[in-house]
């Protein structure tokens, strides 16, 4: 039976037994910012928020996230709450604020300079810094306090996202053992040899084993996690059921390949995508040449330099392709506070110029590099007008660009050139699968994309579309919530309605800081009682 928004709504109503759904993710789905003195809202780049927003729109509930926009506080109420989507509110976004030192240590430091390179294994050495680790712990506690506030007064299901919050599940369970807690780890989980070099590996693993359910993108990542825990901690393992028990608490570990809402492409294209495509061709002087596109955050895991080197190699190997195509790369700026990311943006810019200088002519530049954010609508037009889309990640948990491209091709045309080292390649074998570390292999993939006969494109694209249509984001969320929903206790009395914003206001004199301290103290007491 297929999964739709409506079926997910039914699961949320019937399987969660009145428990409030609270999603925790570092990144907020909507950012408010000032532009020319006015407040506007934008959607951030990145697959996680794009994938989870339709789920929250279907299920309702609260999304707890770091408020990162300069107008976020102005757009929210005194408790950081704002209804979203801003133009048609369906659920609550609860923003919390981090000071510079915590943002630096927790987000830029431990999350993105330690765990990100550690889990992706792309030869970027992870940084192990005690003060980053301390900030990471502190911010996980801050989020725990906010979640506990949001969950007050009734049963709750907390759905934690990603590597920013490895410690959060244990903190929540210690403070509120009745909460059902699930976590989805969006990025790869490496083998034990790689992960266990982290000086705080045991604490991270113990934190994650506070979950009732822990999801990864692939079975391979689940196996790696199992082996890592086996080497590091005293636990009981059930290898048939894929559960780990620690101190009497059982965690199920399962693969749930994440996906997209395929229906969004139609919405983003609208009736006038053809006119918008003509405008893009004019703006970037593409004439009517075939177009290969890449759409990524500028991140060293995505293999963007490798892609440009492959364009260079292709033109070297096949000079007859000069003036015959363009490669357009969207590179959304990301984590630019970190030198590795700034340097990468410079490297990509330099490579684009080099390829254009080597192969370009007076009237033709092979590469167009746009180092700026684009709306989902603009990106979808590019997918629809392209001859091919190139995803050349060096290592990627899933990669939703691959699935978005497929979802946009209602004409059954277009070629997906896809790295073998993405989770998506396991589901989309009809893509042209390439090794991005091998410039010739990637160059051949680009060549195939430019020359594949229409019938073969259609044959492959139909199968990929059926796969994305069926294994969509509603299946991902529906199967995950159904699985974890089994643990939600039946409500003895009907669940209370969610507290209105002013009812939930802290008593006079209590600041958010003291609220946090109270929640954490409760947690410490619970830990003591549990003999932890
Ligand atoms: O999947 C990993 C991830 O951290 C997601 O949370 C998000 O989609 C993407 O990378 C963007 O990262 P950031 O939130 O750091 O901009």
């Amino acid at each position: 039976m297929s999964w739709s928004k409506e079926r997910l709504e039914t699961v949320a109503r019937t399987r969660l037994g009145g428990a409030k759904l609270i999603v925790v993710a570092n990144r907020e789905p909507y950012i408010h910012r000032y532009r020319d003195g006015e407040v506007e809202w934008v959607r951030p780049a990145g697959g996680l928020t794009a994938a989870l927003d339709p789920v929250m729109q279907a299920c309702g509930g609260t999304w707890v996230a770091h408020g990162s926009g300069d107008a976020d506080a102005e757009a929210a109420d005194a408790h950081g709450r704002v209804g979203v989507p801003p133009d048609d509110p369906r659920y609550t976004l609860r923003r919390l604020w981090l000071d510079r030192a915590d943002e630096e240590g927790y987000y830029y430091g431990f999350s993105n300079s330690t765990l990100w390179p550690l889990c992706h294994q792309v030869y970027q050495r992870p940084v192990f810094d005690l003060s980053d680790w301390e900030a990471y712990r502190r911010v996980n506690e801050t989020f725990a306090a906010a979640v506990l506030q949001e969950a007050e007064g009734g049963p709750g299901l907390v759905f934690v996202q990603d590597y920013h919050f490895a410690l959060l599940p244990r903190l929540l369970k210690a403070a509120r053992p009745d909460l059902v807690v699930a976590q989805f780890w969006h990025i790869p989980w490496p083998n034990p040899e790689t992960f266990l070099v982290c000086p705080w590996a045991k604490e991270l693993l113990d934190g994650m084993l506070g979950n009732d359910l822990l999801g990864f993108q692939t079975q391979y990542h689940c196996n790696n996690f199992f082996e890592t825990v086996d080497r590091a901690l005293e636990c009981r393992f059930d290898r048939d059921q894929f559960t780990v028990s620690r101190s009497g608490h059982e965690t199920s570990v399962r693969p749930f390949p994440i996906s997209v809402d395929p229906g969004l492409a139609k919405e983003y294209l609208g009736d006038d995508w053809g006119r918008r495509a003509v405008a893009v061709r004019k703006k970037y002087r593409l004439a009517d040449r075939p177009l290969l596109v890449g759409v990524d955050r500028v991140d060293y895991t995505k293999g963007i330099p490798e892609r440009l080197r492959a364009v260079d190699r292709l033109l070297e190997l096949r000079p007859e392709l000069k003036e015959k195509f363009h490669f357009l790369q969207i590179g959304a700026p990301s984590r630019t506070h970190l030198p590795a990311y700034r340097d990468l943006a410079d490297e990509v810019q330099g490579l684009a110029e080099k390829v254009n200088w080597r192969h370009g002519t007076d009237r033709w530049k092979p590469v167009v590099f746009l180092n700026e954010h684009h709306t989902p609508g603009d990106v979808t037009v590019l997918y629809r007008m392209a001859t091919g889309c190139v995803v050349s990640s060096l290592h990627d948990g899933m990669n939703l660009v691959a699935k978005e491209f497929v979802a946009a091709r209602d004409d059954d045309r277009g070629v997906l050139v896809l790295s073998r080292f993405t989770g998506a390649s396991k589901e989309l074998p009809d893509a042209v699968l390439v090794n991005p570390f091998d410039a010739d292999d990637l160059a051949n993939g680009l060549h195939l994309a430019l020359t594949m006969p229409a019938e073969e494109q259609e044959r492959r694209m139909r199968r990929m579309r059926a796969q994305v249509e069926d294994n969509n984001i509603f299946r991902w969320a529906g199967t995950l919530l159904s699985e974890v929903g089994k643990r939600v206790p039946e409500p003895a009395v009907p669940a209370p309605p969610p507290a209105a914003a002013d009812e939930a206001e802290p008593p006079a004199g209590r600041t958010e800081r003291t609220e946090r301290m109270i929640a954490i103290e409760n947690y410490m007491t619970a830990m003591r009682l549990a003999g932890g």
Side-chain angles (χ1 to χ4, degrees):
M1 188 177 170
S2 69
W3 277 90
S4 61
K5 197 177 274 184
E6 293 68 35
R7 187 167 166 206
L8 178 61
E9 273 165 8
T10 310
V11 165
R13 257 197 327 275
T14 55
R15 298 281 180 87
L16 304 189
K20 180 175 180 184
L21 178 62
I22 302 170
V23 160
V24 190
N26 171 69
R27 184 64 65 197
E28 51 185 350
Y30 297 89
I31 300 177
H32 284 91
R33 63 180 191 191
Y34 290 109
R35 267 293 172 279
D36 305 322
E38 299 291 323
V39 175
E40 65 169 21
W41 57 269
V42 289
R43 313 277 316 266
L48 184 154
T49 50
L52 268 164
D53 179 61
V55 172
M56 286 303 277
Q57 291 203 32
C59 298
T62 298
W63 180 317
V64 181
H66 171 216
S68 58
D70 57 5
D72 271 355
E74 177 166 335
D77 72 9
H79 311 289
R81 296 189 185 114
V82 56
V84 290
D87 55 354
D88 180 18
R90 301 281 175 91
Y91 64 96
T92 303
L93 169 61
R94 160 79 193 271
R95 290 171 169 151
L96 61 80
W97 320 111
L98 300 177
D99 63 28
R100 279 284 159 87
D102 274 356
E103 188 178 352
E104 173 96 32
Y106 141 80
Y107 175 75
Y108 290 108
F110 202 77
S111 296
N112 287 315
S113 300
T114 307
L115 288 175
W116 181 266
L118 188 67
C119 290
H120 279 94
Q121 309 176 70
V122 289
Y123 311 105
Q124 178 76 21
R125 190 176 170 153
V127 173
F128 297 109
D129 179 288
L130 180 61
S131 65
D132 286 351
W133 165 244
E134 284 167 348
Y136 184 83
R137 269 207 319 226
R138 213 163 40 241
V139 172
N140 270 248
E141 288 169 3
T142 305
F143 271 82
V147 172
L148 291 172
Q149 254 179 16
E150 295 299 327
E152 245 166 43
L157 191 165
V158 185
F159 185 19
V160 179
Q161 308 302 315
D162 238 344
Y163 58 99
H164 310 86
F165 301 117
L167 305 178
L168 183 58
R170 175 72 70 200
L171 292 168
L172 294 173
K173 274 288 186 186
R176 281 273 311 265
D178 64 305
L179 288 178
V180 178
V181 184
Q183 182 166 30
F184 188 72
W185 195 266
H186 291 250
I187 64 177
W189 189 275
N191 60 42
E193 286 76 17
T194 302
F195 193 79
L196 293 176
V197 302
C198 176
W200 305 285
K202 288 185 179 182
E203 288 90 331
L204 293 165
L205 294 170
D206 179 65
M208 293 170 78
L209 292 176
N211 282 299
D212 295 299
L213 176 66
L214 176 58
F216 290 96
Q217 301 279 16
T218 65
Q219 183 62 50
Y220 178 67
H221 299 151
C222 296
N223 296 349
N224 278 349
F225 180 79
F226 236 61
E227 295 312 316
T228 309
V229 174
D230 197 11
R231 301 251 188 115
L233 298 178
E234 275 297 313
C235 292
R236 217 157 30 78
F237 296 90
D238 181 332
R239 290 178 193 276
D240 293 328
Q241 297 302 317
F242 242 78
T243 57
V244 189
S245 301
R246 178 162 169 80
S247 317
H249 176 72
E250 187 180 89
T251 305
S252 302
V253 181
R254 300 255 188 294
F256 294 94
I258 199 168
S259 192
V260 295
D261 173 357
L264 279 179
K266 194 166 189 285
E267 222 173 275
Y268 289 142
L269 288 174
D271 297 331
D272 66 339
W273 76 265
R275 187 186 53 73
R276 282 145 67 207
V278 170
V280 170
R281 287 197 173 275
K282 187 158 176 233
K283 182 165 178 190
Y284 300 111
R285 302 176 57 211
L286 308 176
D288 57 0
R289 297 179 189 103
L291 184 65
L292 298 177
V293 295
V295 178
D296 304 82
R297 289 178 303 105
V298 178
D299 189 298
Y300 52 77
T301 61
K302 301 294 180 188
I304 305 171
E306 284 71 8
R307 220 171 283 183
L308 295 184
R309 283 191 209 107
V311 173
D312 187 34
R313 186 78 183 119
L314 176 64
L315 289 166
E316 229 170 58
L317 291 171
R318 299 179 184 271
E320 70 276 13
L321 285 178
K322 278 188 187 204
E323 302 195 345
K324 295 287 192 303
F325 76 99
H326 287 277
F327 177 72
L328 187 149
Q329 174 69 49
I330 288 189
S334 179
R335 306 173 190 167
T336 47
H337 182 56
L338 292 176
Y341 284 76
R342 280 202 304 276
D343 294 350
L344 177 65
D346 291 346
E347 183 188 351
V348 172
Q349 190 68 58
L351 270 169
E353 276 160 24
K354 185 174 147 201
V355 177
N356 284 341
W357 175 257
R358 276 192 80 188
H359 303 284
T361 62
D362 287 348
R363 39 191 200 147
W364 177 72
K365 280 187 181 161
V367 177
V368 179
F369 174 49
L370 306 175
N371 189 196
E372 55 206 26
H373 284 285
H374 286 75
T375 63
D378 291 347
V379 168
T380 312
V381 168
L382 277 180
Y383 291 144
R384 183 61 179 74
M385 65 194 273
T387 295
C389 176
V390 188
V391 174
S392 56
S393 308
L394 306 180
H395 197 186
D396 216 329
M398 176 53 64
N399 194 287
L400 293 180
V401 166
K403 293 186 176 182
E404 284 171 2
F405 171 67
V406 169
R409 298 312 299 242
D410 56 1
D411 59 342
D412 292 337
R413 293 283 179 90
V415 179
L416 175 62
V417 180
L418 180 61
S419 162
R420 296 180 179 282
F421 311 124
T422 57
S425 68
K426 313 289 173 286
E427 290 178 72
L428 301 172
D430 283 295
V432 172
L433 297 180
V434 291
N435 175 354
F437 292 93
D438 178 344
D440 281 50
D441 191 36
L442 187 46
N444 284 335
L446 302 183
H447 183 245
L448 197 51
L450 289 167
T451 54
M452 189 181 283
E455 310 78 62
E456 189 175 349
Q457 289 184 35
E458 281 169 18
R459 198 169 41 76
R460 290 177 184 239
M461 186 53 82
R462 276 199 202 112
R463 283 201 292 249
M464 291 196 283
R465 283 176 63 75
Q467 160 70 24
V468 173
E469 194 64 47
D470 190 30
N471 291 310
N472 57 30
I473 187 65
F474 304 113
R475 178 181 292 279
W476 175 79
T479 48
L480 206 150
L481 293 180
S482 302
E483 175 77 30
V484 79
K486 292 178 198 153
R487 319 232 181 170
V488 174
E490 291 291 329
V493 286
D502 47 359
E503 278 173 70
E505 192 166 347
R510 277 205 204 171
T511 62
E512 199 161 88
R513 170 85 187 147
T514 53
E515 288 289 304
R516 175 162 92 86
M517 296 316 295
I518 289 166
I520 299 302
E521 263 165 34
N522 288 344
Y523 153 67
M524 299 303 283
T525 312
M527 285 297 274
R528 275 195 296 277
L529 288 176

